[in-house]
Amino acid sequence: MTKKAVFLDRDGTIIVDYGYVHKPSQVELLPGIIEALVTLKKLDFELIIISNQSGIGRGYFTKKDVDLVNAHLQSLLKAHGIELSGIYYCPHSPDDRCDCRKPKPALILQALKDHGIDPKHSYFVGDKWTDVQAAIRAGVPPVLLSKEHTISMNTIPVLIVDSLLEWTKLIDQGDM
Ligand SMILES: [Mg+2]
Ligand SMILES: [Zn+2]
């Protein structure tokens, strides 16, 4: 059977983006996230986080901090029966010119390979244009979360919705 996934940005997509979230106490799920992720699991999507954590490369916090935040997030989700298949993050600052910081697609490509996932039956949901670019480069259909539905930075068709929950309702109804 084809394995499919919803790749998810973390900050601003699953949890509130307070800017360089680095403590478990700062982890706050966005409204509707539990319902959205439960729906995606019901539809047989694996859930994989792809996140830029340049605060590490900038010296604001450590990998350990990020791992603790991620572990806390996972425990919040697990309380609702939601298991993530993986969390991938780039620890570099933009100055490092690495291959893994979104909009580069390396982390998505790695996750596709690690989990044997078909990109064409998968989605990437994020709140920044760099998420969309990374998704397109990895061959995964992008979904952009934005209140502004008139983003015209490109000629590429991108689905824009208000929230992860709004989008999951669309796919649950078979509207996509
Ligand atoms: Mg984000
Ligand atoms: Zn990187």
Side-chain angles (χ1 to χ4, degrees), residues 157-172:
V158 174
L159 179 68
I160 303 174
V161 291
D162 280 351
S163 68
L164 189 68
L165 183 60
E166 183 194 335
W167 175 69
T168 55
K169 282 178 177 166
L170 290 178
I171 41 171
D172 197 26

Side-chain angles (χ1 to χ4, degrees), residues 1-6 38-47:
M1 201 185 103
T2 309
K3 278 173 83 182
K4 56 185 186 174
V6 174
V38 165
T39 301
L40 293 175
K41 288 299 258 188
K42 186 191 79 182
L43 295 171
D44 287 328
F45 285 104
E46 303 216 11
L47 303 174

Side-chain angles (χ1 to χ4, degrees), residues 37 56 70-71 102 105 109-110 115 119 133 140 152 154 156-157 170:
L37 297 183
I56 298 168
N70 289 343
K102 294 175 290 186
L109 294 172
Q110 184 65 48
H115 297 273
Q133 288 174 301
V140 175
S152 58
N154 67 105
I156 305 155
L170 290 178

Side-chain angles (χ1 to χ4, degrees), residues 35-156:
E35 185 184 347
L37 297 183
V38 165
T39 301
L40 293 175
K41 288 299 258 188
K42 186 191 79 182
L43 295 171
D44 287 328
F45 285 104
E46 303 216 11
L47 303 174
I48 298 174
I49 290 177
I50 307 282
S51 178
N52 283 352
Q53 293 298 325
S54 69
I56 298 168
R58 296 176 207 263
Y60 299 165
F61 47 81
T62 65
K63 274 192 172 191
K64 177 95 189 290
D65 293 320
V66 172
D67 292 339
L68 286 172
V69 165
N70 289 343
H72 182 62
L73 170 60
Q74 279 174 295
S75 74
L76 291 179
L77 298 179
K78 213 172 257 182
H80 296 272
I82 302 160
E83 294 259 10
L84 302 176
S85 297
I87 300 180
Y88 295 74
Y89 63 85
C90 162
H92 306 109
S93 82
D95 294 342
D96 292 332
R97 298 181 186 282
C98 67
D99 284 331
C100 52
R101 181 175 163 78
K102 294 175 290 186
K104 298 258 181 78
L107 292 182
I108 306 173
L109 294 172
Q110 184 65 48
L112 286 167
K113 197 171 145 197
D114 289 348
H115 297 273
I117 286 160
D118 179 354
K120 293 198 173 47
H121 291 90
S122 300
Y123 297 93
F124 191 110
V125 186
D127 68 324
K128 293 221 171 93
W129 188 247
T130 46
D131 294 312
V132 171
Q133 288 174 301
I136 289 168
R137 288 170 183 173
V140 175
V143 178
L144 180 65
L145 305 184
S146 176
K147 304 285 180 207
E148 287 178 40
H149 287 221
T150 53
I151 291 172
S152 58
M153 291 170 68
N154 67 105
T155 53
I156 305 155

Side-chain angles (χ1 to χ4, degrees), residues 9-13 17 127-128 131:
D9 168 55
R10 195 192 76 182
D11 303 341
T13 298
D17 188 354
D127 68 324
K128 293 221 171 93
D131 294 312

